[in-house]
């Protein structure tokens, strides 16, 4: 690019100095004669534009997180180099007076187009249209991310700034981003990403389940149950057989049960939690924890509904897995014994 610029500049300068046909009257406005040097009241216009556009180009070129975050000797050299280029704006102003107006027209045009090009390529919409935004890349855990309405910006492991258009991401990639954002406590952005994923694929079961979880964390219980019920319906229609679908059914049922219990709808909550209890105990440690959490919640709901015997039966299974819950089982069994004694005494009385 730079050799072409100098070649064209030298060619146009020679044509101007040699009085190439048409250069003496091929200009416009105050620069009718392209062979003349800048002069008169409008003489400073081109030198000012050349120096100004040079300075603006420097600022745009160095406006990058990669440069700003560079430290050590390399960072110091880059800062001095930028300062050197900025200082060059002053001599370029005076050089402009020694160049024919034909060359100055080309120089100003080239600089202005360069500014427009840089600003356009930095714009996420233009980059997305051209397919230049983080091709083949997606942010992962540990990346510093900034998410707006339409793009996600992050610095990758090579300290390079990447920009992705949310519209170009697949539902799976949007869900992955949502999980990362939710793990940092940003529920609003997480839900925004999940909504976009579900707009692209309304039947995306994992997205429905995680949307229900995110809304449950925000205590938007009614909306959470809608997403979870839809996910459960799709999973049951497909007769889940593989481990992933069974795990999703367990999570969706657990969270739907929890949402209904929190709303005071015990019967609906118990129905969903009993579905978890009827599943085979998973072998995966993490899934196993979710399984027994659901059983514990089921026993609590049954106990509140006065079904102490059923609650105790479920608690015995939980205690076999984790003896720390034995006091809850003893409390439930003691109450059962108390109720049985009261019933027996009432029968003896009659």
């Amino acid at each position: 690019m730079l050799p072409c610029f100098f070649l064209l500049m030298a060619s146009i300068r020679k044509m101007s100095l040699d009085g190439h046909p048409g250069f003496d009257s091929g200009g416009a406005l105050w620069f009718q004669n392209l062979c003349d040097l800048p002069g008169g009241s409008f003489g400073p216009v081109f030198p000012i534009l050349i120096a100004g556009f040079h300075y603006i180009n420097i600022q745009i070129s160095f406006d990058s997180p990669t440069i700003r975050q560079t430290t050590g000797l390399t960072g110091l050299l880059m800062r001095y180099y930028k300062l050197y280029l900025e200082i060059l704006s002053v001599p370029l102003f005076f050089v402009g007076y020694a160049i024919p107006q034909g060359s100055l027209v080309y120089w100003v045009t080239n600089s202005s187009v360069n500014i427009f090009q840089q600003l356009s390529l930095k714009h996420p919409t233009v980059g997305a249209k051209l397919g230049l935004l983080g091709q083949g890349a997606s942010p992962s855990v540990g990346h510093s991310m900034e998410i707006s309405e339409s793009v996600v910006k992050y610095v990758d492991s090579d300290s390079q700034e990447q920009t992705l258009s949310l519209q170009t991401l697949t539902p799976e990639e949007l869900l992955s981003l949502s999980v990362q954002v939710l793990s940092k406590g940003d529920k609003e952005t997480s839900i925004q990403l999940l909504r976009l994923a579900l707009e692209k694929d309304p039947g995306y079961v994992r997205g429905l389940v995680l949307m229900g979880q995110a809304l449950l964390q925000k205590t938007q219980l009614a909306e959470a149950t809608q997403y979870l019920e839809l996910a459960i319906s799709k999973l049951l229609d497909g007769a889940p057989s593989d481990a992933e679908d069974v795990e999703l059914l367990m999570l969706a049922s657990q969270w739907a049960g929890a949402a209904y219990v929190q709303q005071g709808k015990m019967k609906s909550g118990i129905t969903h939690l009993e579905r978890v209890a009827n599943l085979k105990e998973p072998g995966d440690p993490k899934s196993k924890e979710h399984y027994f959490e659901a059983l514990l919640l089921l026993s609590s709901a049954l106990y509140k509904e006065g079904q102490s015997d059923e609650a105790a039966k479920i608690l015995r299974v939980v205690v076999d897995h984790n003896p720390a819950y034995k006091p809850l089982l003893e409390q439930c069994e003691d109450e059962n014994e108390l109720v049985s004694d009261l019933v027996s005494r009432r029968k003896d009385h009659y």
Side-chain angles (χ1 to χ4, degrees):
M1 183 68 182
L2 197 59
C4 292
F5 171 75
F6 283 122
L7 177 62
L8 287 170
M9 276 292 296
S11 301
I12 295 172
R13 181 176 182 277
K14 190 174 188 309
M15 293 170 69
S16 300
L17 294 175
D18 292 346
H20 191 275
F23 269 54
D24 58 345
S25 60
L29 301 175
W30 72 91
F31 50 96
Q32 293 289 336
N33 190 341
L34 299 177
C35 299
D36 288 345
L37 299 178
S41 57
F42 290 100
V45 173
F46 280 128
I48 289 174
L49 288 176
I50 288 171
F53 285 169
H54 171 78
Y55 184 84
I56 293 171
N57 269 308
I58 297 305
Q59 304 310 310
I60 296 174
S61 299
F62 280 81
D63 182 25
S64 167
T66 303
I67 295 176
R68 290 195 297 267
Q69 295 172 10
T70 302
T71 57
L73 180 60
T74 303
L76 182 63
L77 291 174
M78 292 178 72
R79 285 192 292 273
Y80 276 117
Y81 180 59
K82 181 186 177 186
L83 179 61
Y84 161 73
L85 293 175
E86 290 173 341
I87 294 173
L88 274 183
S89 302
V90 177
L92 282 178
F93 170 77
F94 294 103
V95 167
Y97 283 99
I99 298 177
Q101 292 185 134
S103 296
L104 293 175
V105 170
Y106 168 72
W107 195 340
V108 168
T109 304
N110 181 276
S111 297
S112 58
V113 169
N114 192 30
I115 291 173
F116 176 77
Q117 181 184 35
Q118 289 195 76
L119 292 176
S120 297
L121 292 177
K122 284 177 176 286
H123 195 281
T125 303
V126 175
K129 293 291 185 182
L130 297 176
L132 300 175
L133 297 186
Q135 290 180 338
S138 61
S140 60
V141 177
H143 287 151
S144 175
M145 291 186 295
E146 176 186 343
I147 299 177
S148 67
E149 292 183 358
S150 59
V151 297
V152 51
K153 296 181 180 180
Y154 68 98
V155 178
D156 63 18
S157 55
D158 296 324
S159 297
Q160 298 291 321
E161 183 186 45
Q162 300 287 350
T163 305
L164 289 169
S165 171
L166 295 180
Q167 295 298 331
T168 64
L169 297 181
T170 65
E172 291 77 12
E173 290 171 333
L174 288 166
L175 183 138
S176 177
L177 273 180
S178 174
V179 171
Q180 294 178 53
V181 171
L182 186 62
S183 68
K184 296 178 181 179
D186 189 352
K187 300 182 183 68
E188 290 292 344
T189 304
S190 175
I191 290 172
Q192 173 194 343
L193 293 169
L194 285 170
R195 289 192 193 281
L196 182 56
L198 292 172
E199 284 177 10
K200 295 188 173 191
D201 184 2
Y204 186 27
V205 174
R206 183 172 286 275
L208 291 169
V209 174
L210 290 180
M211 174 65 92
Q213 180 202 24
L215 292 169
L216 184 60
Q217 290 186 12
K218 285 198 66 182
T219 65
Q220 296 180 12
L221 305 178
E223 190 177 3
T225 54
Q226 292 177 6
Y227 283 100
L228 293 168
E229 288 280 15
L230 181 57
I232 292 168
S233 174
K234 288 183 175 297
L235 287 166
L236 291 177
D237 288 344
S241 56
D242 60 32
E244 182 180 358
D245 286 345
V246 172
E247 181 182 11
L248 286 174
L249 179 62
M250 180 180 66
L251 292 174
S253 300
Q254 176 187 349
W255 292 334
Y260 278 121
V261 168
Q262 289 183 48
Q263 294 176 80
K265 300 176 181 179
M266 291 297 181
K267 290 184 178 179
S268 297
I270 289 171
T271 299
H272 286 292
L273 293 170
E274 284 179 337
R275 185 182 301 112
V276 179
N278 292 330
L279 294 174
K280 182 180 178 181
E281 180 182 328
D284 178 69
K286 188 175 181 180
S287 299
K288 186 175 290 190
E289 287 300 318
H290 287 301
Y291 176 78
F292 284 105
E293 284 174 7
L295 294 187
L296 188 63
L297 185 57
L298 173 60
S299 66
S300 174
L302 290 170
Y303 182 81
K304 290 178 180 178
E305 284 292 284
Q307 301 180 43
S308 302
D309 289 335
E310 291 297 320
K313 186 188 299 183
I314 298 295
L315 274 174
R316 290 187 189 99
V317 178
V318 175
V319 169
D320 287 341
H321 169 70
N322 188 350
Y325 292 108
K326 192 172 182 179
L328 291 178
L329 174 60
E330 292 174 347
Q331 178 184 347
C332 188
E333 290 176 336
D334 289 344
E335 182 166 325
N336 286 342
E337 291 177 3
L338 177 60
V339 171
S340 297
D341 289 344
L342 289 174
V343 170
S344 298
R345 289 177 185 178
R346 193 173 288 271
K347 286 182 178 178
D348 292 341
H349 176 74
Y350 289 115

